[in-house]
């Protein structure tokens, strides 16, 4: 949805212009109070914004006293109010939390552990406070290392909020101009059906064929984007790619095609920056990093969101010659980046991922949800298909056209489902993609079988009420 200025509103956003009708007294009071100091720049979710009081595991307690099942939160990957993370943060706050120009064990302990999760060539890391900062630094590093300026992203990409990064994030719409050195590539049509139901990954015997088919469509498009940047005098500095393509409509795609993309950008002298803010830390199931699903040779990997389970921390892992080139002409210092408290939080997250086997769990639980949700939704007119990798699922909602034409994405129907789940089932999901018509289901990694049962029951109720039918 776009307003007159070309600004794209956030999917599942509360509409401030509609006023406070329909909200209960508490919700209305807090929205009013928030608007008075925070204005309307920052979106709120749902027709009735949720007033959260506390959280535990995959549950959020609302001010209305209800227990909400959180099927959306990738930040609290090891669970809301995780005791191990809390303990690590409290302990470090009682020791010291100063800046990174001193020698500190905490940042080194974490850096060594984090780098051990990457293939050997990615051997250095820098720390930031957010995904946006990570992508911003990565773009600057790619510029310096390649001597080129041009950036390629997907057509619906979101990579963050800094001046540079927002200028290569077309999902903001056209309210502010995008960078002149940006080329975009449409991917949703090529990846939409490339991901099978059930395994959701294009794995196994079909994997190579599916990946070839994707590249047959996308290879020429990416090469055309590279040509355009070269002809424009910018050259190709990098492809910046969200490994799950969340804002493009949740398109994990067939395994392998991003390896071809890496080869293609390398052939132009550019780098592959793997944006793992969404996909990283086991979310894709069975692998720690999204680029590993593809066996791709990433040059720079950017991280954020789940890294500190809510404590602000991000990172940029890279092949060391890229950082050496950067250090030769400028420097990187970030007051809070790599601070000991954030490092301890991030270390505690890795502890929990290992202790609870969450990388394998994301694969198994994601496969279960994909299978069971498909079974419930199959045959309903508005169900347009399901894609997933690990615990990141996208469900297409369509107009269910029966007039012989192809069913079209139906954002209004998706919105009705998201809000019915929130209001009546106390289950939190959201939407994404073209027309905001893809239901986005992305629970904390600690989501268990009883949580899955509750989600499935809620979706059954929604179906019984006819929200998935015309
Ligand atoms: N990259 C991707 C793929 C993202 O989804 C986001 C946040 N939604 C970012 C970068 C920016 O991260 P942050 O909000 O932490 O700055």
């Amino acid at each position: 949805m776009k307003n007159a200025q070309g600004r794209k509103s956030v999917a599942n956003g509360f509409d401030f212009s509609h006023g406070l009708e329909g909200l209960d007294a508490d919700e209305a009071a807090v929205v009013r109070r928030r608007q008075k100091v925070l204005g309307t720049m920052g979106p709120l979710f749902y027709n009735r914004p949720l007033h959260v009081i506390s959280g535990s595991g995959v549950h959020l307690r609302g001010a209305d006293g209800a227990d909400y099942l959180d099927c959306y939160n990738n930040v609290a990957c090891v669970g809301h109010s995780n005791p191990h993370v809390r303990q690590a943060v409290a302990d470090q706050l009682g020791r010291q939390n100063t800046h990174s120009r001193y020698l500190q064990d905490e940042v080194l302990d974490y850096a060594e552990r984090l780098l051990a999760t990457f293939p050997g060539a990615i051997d250095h890391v820098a720390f930031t406070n957010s995904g946006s900062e990570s992508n911003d630094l990565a773009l600057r590093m790619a510029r310096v290392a390649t001597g080129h300026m041009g950036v390629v992203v997907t057509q619906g990409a979101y990579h963050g909020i800094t001046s540079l990064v927002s200028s290569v994030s077309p999902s903001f719409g056209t309210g502010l101009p995008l960078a002149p050195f940006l080329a975009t590539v449409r991917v949703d049509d090529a990846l939409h059906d490339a991901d099978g139901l059930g395994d959701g990954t294009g794995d196994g015997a079909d994997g190579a064929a599916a990946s070839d088919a994707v590249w047959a469509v996308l290879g020429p498009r990416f090469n055309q984007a590279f040509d355009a940047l070269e002809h424009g005098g910018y050259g190709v500095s990098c492809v910046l790619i969200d490994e799950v393509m969340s804002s493009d409509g949740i398109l994990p795609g067939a395994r392998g095609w991003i390896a071809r993309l890496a080869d293609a950008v390398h052939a132009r002298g550019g780098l592959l920056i793997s944006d793992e803010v969404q996909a990283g830390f086991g979310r894709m199931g069975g692998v720690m990093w999204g680029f590993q699903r593809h066996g791709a040779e990433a040059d720079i990997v950017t991280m954020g969101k789940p890294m500190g389970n809510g404590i602000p921390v991000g990172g940029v892992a890279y092949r060391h010659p890229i950082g050496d080139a950067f250090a030769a002409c400028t420097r990187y210092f970030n007051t809070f980046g790599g601070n000991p408290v954030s490092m301890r939080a991030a270390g505690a997250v890795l502890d929990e991922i290992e202790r609870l086997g969450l990388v394998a769990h994301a694969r198994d639980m994601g496969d279960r949800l994909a299978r069971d949700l498909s079974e419930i939704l199959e045959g309903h007119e508005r169900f347009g298909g399901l894609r997933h990798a690990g615990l990141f699922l996208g469900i297409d909602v369509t107009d269910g056209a029966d007039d012989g034409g192809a069913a079209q994405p139906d954002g209004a129907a998706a919105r009705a489902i998201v809000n019915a789940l929130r209001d009546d089932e106390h289950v939190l999901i959201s939407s994404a993609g073209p027309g905001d018509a893809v239901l986005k289901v992305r629970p904390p990694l600690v989501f268990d079988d009883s949580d899955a049962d509750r989600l499935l029951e809620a979706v059954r109720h929604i179906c019984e009420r006819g929200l998935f039918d015309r």
Side-chain angles (χ1 to χ4, degrees):
M1 200 185 303
K2 284 182 183 173
N3 69 9
Q5 286 77 45
R7 184 178 69 97
K8 187 183 179 301
S9 57
V10 77
N12 182 31
F14 171 71
D15 186 347
F16 288 96
S17 68
H18 272 184
L20 305 177
E21 211 176 311
L23 274 55
D24 70 25
D26 171 75
E27 291 159 357
V30 182
V31 170
R32 204 176 293 116
R33 185 175 160 214
R34 183 184 190 271
Q35 203 167 329
K36 223 168 168 181
V37 286
L38 303 184
T40 55
M41 282 205 310
L44 281 167
F45 265 3
Y46 304 111
N47 292 344
R48 285 176 55 204
L50 181 66
H51 187 184
V52 175
I53 300 300
S54 63
S56 175
V58 302
H59 301 268
L60 287 172
R61 178 75 55 188
D64 56 1
D67 171 57
Y68 289 83
L69 183 71
D70 185 354
C71 301
Y72 182 76
N73 204 314
N74 58 339
V75 172
C77 63
V78 297
H80 294 285
S81 314
N82 179 290
H84 184 59
V85 176
R86 189 176 64 201
Q87 170 61 31
V89 167
D91 179 68
Q92 191 60 39
L93 276 171
R95 291 172 190 268
Q96 61 95 5
N97 192 34
T98 188
H99 64 78
S100 59
R101 284 170 292 193
Y102 300 115
L103 291 175
Q104 291 171 325
D105 293 323
E106 294 81 8
V107 67
L108 303 181
D109 291 345
Y110 183 69
E112 287 165 1
R113 249 183 111 180
L114 180 68
L115 286 171
T117 69
F118 288 104
I122 296 191
D123 54 358
H124 280 51
V125 62
F127 293 107
T128 70
N129 307 290
S130 68
S132 299
E133 279 189 5
S134 300
N135 283 329
D136 194 287
L137 176 63
L139 289 173
R140 294 168 65 220
M141 290 170 74
R143 232 180 231 185
V144 171
T146 63
H148 301 310
M149 184 91 175
V151 176
V152 179
V153 300
T154 56
Q155 195 178 52
Y158 179 80
H159 293 290
I161 58 166
T162 71
S163 182
L164 174 59
V165 171
S166 61
S167 77
V168 298
S169 293
S171 74
F172 278 116
T174 55
L176 284 174
L178 292 169
F181 49 82
L182 179 70
T184 63
V185 172
R186 181 172 183 197
V187 293
D188 60 318
D189 53 345
L191 296 174
H192 187 266
D193 300 322
D195 210 347
L197 228 52
D199 76 350
T201 55
D203 276 341
D206 292 341
S211 157
D212 285 348
V214 167
W215 191 245
V217 179
L218 294 186
R221 291 187 195 169
F222 275 97
N223 277 309
Q224 209 172 18
F226 299 149
D227 290 344
L229 291 173
E230 284 171 352
H231 291 148
Y234 298 112
V236 179
S237 125
C238 65
V239 174
L240 172 61
I241 203 109
D242 167 6
E243 293 284 349
V244 65
M245 280 166 256
S246 172
S247 53
D248 283 283
I250 306 169
L251 305 162
R255 282 174 185 250
W257 79 270
I258 288 189
R260 312 281 286 275
L261 175 59
D263 293 344
V265 69
H266 290 153
R268 302 295 183 112
L271 305 180
L272 182 77
I273 303 177
S274 182
D275 181 337
E276 301 275 355
V277 172
Q278 292 281 349
F281 292 96
R283 171 71 46 189
M284 296 289 92
V287 286
M288 187 72 165
W289 305 109
F291 72 89
Q292 292 174 315
R293 283 184 67 237
H294 297 277
E297 277 192 36
D299 302 290
I300 304 181
V301 180
T302 59
M303 295 157 267
K305 284 189 191 280
M307 193 169 171
N309 209 54
I311 294 292
V313 54
V316 181
Y318 57 91
R319 300 169 184 269
H320 74 265
I322 299 168
D324 293 346
F326 194 77
C329 75
T330 183
R331 66 172 180 274
Y332 176 66
F333 169 68
N334 186 331
T335 299
F336 299 119
N339 75 77
V341 166
S342 292
M343 294 292 94
R344 290 288 303 278
V349 169
L350 287 185
D351 290 343
E352 290 291 79
I353 288 175
E354 284 168 18
R355 182 178 72 84
L356 299 167
L358 294 179
V359 177
H361 176 72
R363 178 194 57 218
D364 299 342
M365 180 55 67
D367 287 350
R368 180 196 160 184
L369 287 180
R371 201 176 44 242
D372 292 353
L373 283 167
S374 301
E375 213 176 284
I376 293 169
L377 295 172
E378 208 56 68
H380 289 277
E381 293 154 338
R382 289 187 180 280
F383 175 53
L386 181 151
R387 296 173 294 283
H388 88 292
L391 270 175
F392 208 136
L393 298 94
I395 300 167
D396 292 325
V397 179
T398 73
D399 59 7
D402 65 352
D403 57 1
Q408 296 301 312
D410 191 331
R415 190 177 179 98
I417 292 166
V418 167
N419 279 284
L421 282 168
R422 177 253 181 264
D423 290 341
D424 307 324
E425 305 293 334
H426 297 158
V427 166
L428 305 176
I429 66 164
S430 192
S431 57
D436 304 332
V438 183
L439 301 180
K440 182 171 172 183
V441 181
R442 186 196 52 181
L445 298 180
V446 291
F447 203 76
D448 69 17
D449 279 316
S450 65
D451 304 319
D453 292 343
R454 182 170 160 193
L455 167 63
L456 297 168
E457 191 59 22
V459 172
R460 263 186 220 105
H461 291 161
I462 293 293
C463 288
E464 283 159 16
R465 289 169 53 188
L467 282 153
F468 267 100
D469 294 298
R470 272 196 322 277

